[in-house]
Amino acid sequence: MVASVTSLGRNGLYDWLIQRVTAVILASYTVFLLGYLVLSPDLTFAQWSGLFGHTAMRIFSLLALLSIGAHAWVGLWTISTDYIKPAGIRVCFQAACGVVMFAYVVWGVEILWGL
Amino acid sequence: MLVSIYRYNSEKDNVPYMEDVNVDIPEGKDLMVLDVLHLLKAEDSSVTYRRSCREGVCGSDGLNMNGKNGLACITPLSEVVKKDKLVLRPLPGLPVIRDLVVDMSMFYKQYEKIKPFLVNDTPPPAIERLQSPEEREKLDGLYECILCACCSTACPSFWWNPDKFIGPSGLLQAYRFLADSRDTSTAERLADLDDPFSVFRCRGIMNCVSVCPKGLNPTKAIGHIRGMLMQRST
Ligand code: SF4
């Protein structure tokens, strides 16, 4: 057993599963949005903001946003443990990634829910 | 044929270097790479490499030949030589002791971690612990590993984290004991593997499968371990 305190779930299976589940969510969100854009050629602003005003869409968007955060955390954490060998620099990189991801999630929520 | 061989002697050389040697290959014969090393050594006795059984059983002569890991004794020249040139290097990712000889301690440490022996606390029967033919069949494709390290040293995940990631060879062995009906410590074995490095650093690159001289499939074994971990915790 190799100890690790900075990974998302501190457990291999958990991180692995999160990575897969969030990937599926992100893929379906992307396909849905692209499909929507293709199927509505003369899209108006009212339609577009109506779509994002819908509760189901808000849930889906928030889910996608949180998925991006988690997916990026697992991915960048893995990259940092592969390539950044000095522990000090690695922890700084991981902390910076964490702050950036948190900021993006909060920012995204603000845009979506218009708080 | 031109042979370019990795040379390093810590007592003489500051840095390793490649030495180019022309070797006369007897007409009409498909020598093994190990035979070429013998020819080289006959000319220059300081050329150093490991070998023992010379028939792909002991696993001592794992080398990197023209960029691909394999056993020198069972790799014919016709299979590796390109443009009449053969480049011989030690297995990548492990510290070089001399020429083609690497320090395998890290590799063995990972092997030791997975407890490569049967654990069974029940009283031993008078003769032996029996297995049904079906139970025995589960070990096929696992027990044949000769610990040559060709797979683990071809694995980028092992290069980056040789101290934390068990590596394809160790994980193939881990599954060999997880799958054994006579072993009773499955739960402890799985608990030991459930961290972000030991098993999950495998990214499915599958270099291990492409180089294994025994034709084994460590990636598949790793998939089985993942499945067992999933079953245990979901
Ligand atoms: S799995 Fe194959 S390549 Fe890896 S150590 Fe065993 S025999 Fe060698």
Side-chain angles (χ1 to χ4, degrees):
Chain A
M1 178 68 91
V2 179
S4 138
V5 293
T6 49
S7 71
L8 185 67
R10 273 168 237 141
N11 163 293
L13 184 69
Y14 184 83
D15 279 11
W16 184 81
L17 207 57
I18 285 286
Q19 196 74 334
R20 264 83 201 152
V21 172
T22 54
V24 171
I25 294 173
L26 290 171
S28 21
Y29 192 73
T30 313
V31 169
F32 170 77
L33 270 193
L34 284 179
Y36 186 84
L37 286 174
V38 169
L39 292 179
S40 32
D42 9 72
L43 186 67
T44 63
F45 177 73
Q47 253 180 317
W48 187 244
S49 76
L51 172 70
F52 280 89
H54 205 285
T55 306
M57 188 59 193
R58 287 188 164 190
I59 295 175
F60 198 15
S61 299
L62 186 61
L63 196 61
L65 198 59
L66 294 176
S67 294
I68 283 213
H71 195 87
W73 180 255
V74 175
L76 287 169
W77 179 83
T78 305
I79 292 172
S80 73
T81 49
D82 267 352
Y83 298 112
I84 308 180
K85 289 303 161 193
I89 303 179
R90 190 167 61 231
V91 170
C92 289
F93 175 81
Q94 291 169 349
C97 287
V99 170
V100 169
M101 271 169 255
F102 182 75
Y104 275 136
V105 168
V106 172
W107 193 10
V109 168
E110 199 178 291
I111 293 171
L112 279 173
W113 297 69
L115 292 176
Chain B
M1 185 181 66
L2 182 69
V3 180
S4 182
I5 175 172
Y6 182 101
R7 301 298 310 264
Y8 178 64
N9 176 350
S10 61
E11 284 159 20
K12 285 202 323 224
D13 311 319
N14 290 326
V15 284
Y17 62 97
M18 299 301 292
E19 184 183 15
D20 287 347
V21 189
N22 267 306
V23 181
D24 290 326
I25 304 295
E27 277 299 320
K29 263 195 171 178
D30 192 11
L31 297 185
M32 296 293 173
V33 174
L34 183 64
D35 299 325
V36 175
L37 280 169
H38 289 339
L39 293 175
L40 283 172
K41 198 164 176 79
E43 294 296 316
D44 174 357
S45 62
S46 72
V47 172
T48 310
Y49 51 90
R50 286 196 181 105
R51 57 141 288 173
S52 187
C53 75
R54 58 101 189 98
E55 55 183 12
V57 175
C58 71
S60 334
D61 64 354
L63 292 183
N64 186 281
M65 298 163 285
N66 272 356
K68 191 171 175 191
N69 290 355
L71 296 178
C73 55
I74 53 168
T75 305
L77 291 181
S78 58
E79 208 175 86
V80 280
V81 174
K82 284 182 204 96
K83 295 191 191 123
D84 214 31
K85 187 173 181 190
L86 177 64
V87 182
L88 298 176
R89 292 173 182 275
L91 290 176
L94 294 177
V96 174
I97 298 174
R98 186 163 163 178
D99 296 349
L100 301 176
V101 176
V102 290
D103 178 357
M104 309 255 288
S105 336
M106 205 60 114
F107 175 78
Y108 292 136
K109 211 173 256 169
Q110 295 301 345
Y111 179 56
E112 201 183 339
K113 266 201 211 164
I114 62 108
K115 303 207 180 75
F117 41 83
L118 284 177
V119 178
N120 193 325
D121 306 328
T122 58
I127 302 180
E128 59 189 327
R129 295 188 198 277
L130 297 176
Q131 282 188 305
S132 68
E134 291 76 35
E135 287 167 341
R136 169 61 189 76
E137 211 167 88
K138 289 194 181 146
L139 308 183
D140 287 344
L142 304 170
Y143 79 91
E144 298 95 328
C145 171
I146 54 173
L147 296 176
C148 64
C150 287
C151 57
S152 292
T153 58
C155 173
S157 285
F158 187 75
W159 296 339
W160 306 151
N161 290 291
D163 53 336
K164 300 192 186 90
F165 175 49
I166 297 211
S169 166
L171 289 170
L172 186 93
Q173 290 305 305
Y175 184 61
R176 181 243 169 278
F177 288 97
L178 284 167
D180 197 309
S181 61
R182 297 162 298 178
D183 189 276
T184 56
S185 71
T186 309
E188 294 86 49
R189 288 180 188 278
L190 287 176
D192 275 347
L193 293 173
D194 197 9
D195 61 79
F197 283 100
S198 304
V199 175
F200 288 94
R201 206 28 78 111
C202 168
R203 316 235 70 91
I205 297 164
M206 292 180 83
N207 278 1
C208 51
V209 182
S210 98
V211 298
C212 177
K214 303 306 263 187
L216 308 179
N217 191 331
T219 307
K220 195 163 146 204
I222 295 171
H224 285 309
I225 299 179
R226 234 188 251 130
M228 290 178 91
L229 284 167
M230 187 98 108
Q231 220 155 40
R232 183 184 85 119
S233 8
T234 50

